[in-house]
Amino acid sequence: MTEKSGNMTMTAAVPAGGDVADYIALLKPRVMSLVVFTGFAGLYLAPGSIHPVIAAVAVLCIAVGAGASGAINMWYDRDIDAVMERTAERPVPTGRVEPRAALAFGVALSVWSVMVMGVAVNWAAAALLAFTIAFYVFIYTMWLKRRTPQNIVIGGAAGAFPPMVGWAAVSGDITLSSIVLFAIIFMWTPPHFWALALYRRGDYAKAGVPMMPVVAGEKETKRQIVLYSILLAPLGMAPTFVGMSSWYYGGVAGALGLVFVGLSIAIYRETGDRYARRTFAFSILYLFLLFAALIVDKAFGLAG
Amino acid sequence: MDMTVDTPEEQRAKQKRRNRALLIVLMGMVVLFYVISIVRMGIVE
């Protein structure tokens, strides 16, 4: 049963459905890659041993859980995604995937990831993974994102949990070292997102999302970016201070932290958005290099 | 916003691709659960 109107054909009998690529896009693969990497780092850095297959299953569950929360986020945020240039082409706002299909996909994958983590790995890691998904969906997406400019400060915790989940997959508990890994990502999230929000503030304003540059203005956001990057620089070195890694790592973390602070100051001084874009790109590299340095440090036994 | 609506042929092609992907995922899960079972039994022993 088809109804033609101009050059647009409306098909009513065949249910709409996205392509495989659309369902992959619902999982936010780019965000997932950093989550998987930090989750793996937590798993690798944890004391104790884990069977390689079980370790791979744990990383798979972290990846699927992260993707699932991304899909639920896209279902809930479809109205604001549609008006933001950066997100307007996502599968749900374009109509390629029905909202309820995105929700069902996200919920099914969430349940799958938590259950498999529990049965195959351990229930402490599964509980942490469930909490992470719930935090991202209910606390960040549904509660904070549209209500406060502190949305990504508190909501950033969701992105900071994966190394703790990886750690718990091996050790079955939460320790000071895993909390340090959490704290690094938690402190990294605000300057990372605010750098993006500085050059995308028009998008956020149009969608009514109270990001810091929209609510508090450009100057205050830049001040906060500098503040958070100054706090992040020594925190990045904390694994050395708690005896988790060597001073080789400490040196790398310190140098990376100084670059981050330098870029933040450059943002504070600039009138355009050149350094905001650079800082956003560097922040991703920063986190990747920091966790890569932790892995290398342990792999070569530099901590002694 | 992309207002292009697929023809029934395009929709069927998409459905076929989705079904194939689902088959691969389900087969992957069978293998995954089998491997997990073997490994877990080994750990318990």
Side-chain angles (χ1 to χ4, degrees):
Chain A
M1 188 173 80
T2 60
E3 175 192 317
K4 283 202 168 187
S5 168
N7 57 358
M8 198 173 85
T9 306
M10 298 297 288
T11 305
V14 186
D19 215 333
V20 175
D22 295 321
Y23 282 89
I24 293 171
L26 283 177
L27 303 175
K28 298 189 178 180
R30 276 193 297 181
V31 175
M32 191 203 276
S33 60
L34 205 57
V35 167
V36 166
F37 182 64
T38 56
F40 168 77
L43 192 139
Y44 183 76
L45 296 167
S49 62
I50 184 170
H51 191 286
V53 170
I54 302 298
V57 171
V59 173
L60 177 72
C61 290
I62 292 172
V64 173
S69 41
I72 299 172
N73 170 275
M74 283 201 207
W75 160 74
Y76 190 81
D77 278 348
R78 61 193 184 278
D79 55 336
I80 57 177
D81 280 353
V83 294
M84 287 173 70
E85 199 184 313
R86 187 172 68 89
T87 54
E89 288 305 310
R90 283 177 173 175
V92 180
T94 52
R96 296 198 303 275
V97 173
E98 281 185 59
R100 62 182 178 173
L103 175 64
F105 186 57
V107 171
L109 291 184
S110 299
V111 172
W112 186 92
S113 63
V114 172
M115 295 311 289
V116 173
M117 182 73 101
V119 171
V121 186
N122 65 55
W123 287 102
L128 262 175
L129 183 62
F131 182 73
T132 305
I133 296 168
F135 195 95
Y136 185 73
V137 170
F138 297 111
I139 306 293
Y140 172 69
T141 303
M142 294 183 181
W143 182 33
L144 297 169
K145 187 173 177 179
R146 298 167 190 238
R147 284 179 175 80
T148 166
Q150 296 298 318
N151 49 13
I152 49 109
V153 176
I154 306 161
F161 281 120
M164 288 181 79
V165 178
W167 188 286
V170 178
S171 67
D173 60 10
I174 295 169
T175 64
L176 175 66
S177 295
S178 70
I179 292 170
V180 164
L181 298 178
F182 167 87
I184 291 170
I185 305 178
F186 185 75
M187 200 59 79
W188 164 88
T189 307
H192 165 75
F193 271 109
W194 286 334
L196 170 78
L198 274 175
Y199 63 88
R200 291 282 189 184
R201 63 181 172 280
D203 241 12
Y204 286 111
K206 203 163 65 175
V209 180
M211 288 297 278
M212 187 69 81
V214 177
V215 176
E218 204 176 295
K219 201 75 185 166
E220 176 59 20
T221 307
K222 290 177 174 181
R223 201 180 68 82
Q224 298 266 352
I225 288 175
V226 174
L227 193 72
Y228 272 88
S229 63
I230 289 172
L231 291 171
L232 177 64
L235 194 61
M237 298 170 74
T240 299
F241 303 141
V242 297
M244 201 175 143
S245 59
S246 73
W247 276 102
Y248 291 107
Y249 164 81
V252 171
L256 287 169
L258 284 176
V259 175
F260 208 138
V261 172
L263 282 168
S264 303
I265 292 169
I267 289 181
Y268 190 76
R269 287 179 172 170
E270 77 174 346
T271 46
D273 60 17
R274 203 174 107 211
Y275 281 104
R277 289 174 188 273
R278 280 191 184 180
T279 305
F280 177 72
F282 174 77
S283 64
I284 297 167
L285 184 68
Y286 170 87
L287 198 66
F288 174 78
L289 290 177
L290 209 67
F291 277 80
L294 279 169
I295 291 169
V296 169
D297 198 271
K298 184 173 178 182
F300 287 94
L302 300 175
Chain B
M1 191 173 154
D2 179 14
M3 289 299 289
T4 312
V5 178
D6 292 338
T7 61
E9 290 74 29
E10 284 169 335
Q11 288 200 350
R12 269 192 289 274
K14 277 184 182 178
Q15 201 167 29
K16 266 190 178 175
R17 284 196 291 272
R18 284 202 307 269
N19 289 346
R20 260 185 235 127
L22 196 59
L23 177 70
I24 292 167
V25 169
L26 289 174
M27 295 298 284
M29 273 170 60
V30 170
V31 174
L32 180 73
F33 290 135
Y34 174 74
V35 173
I36 289 171
S37 304
I38 297 296
V39 170
R40 293 291 298 183
M41 280 192 292
I43 291 170
V44 170
E45 282 168 11

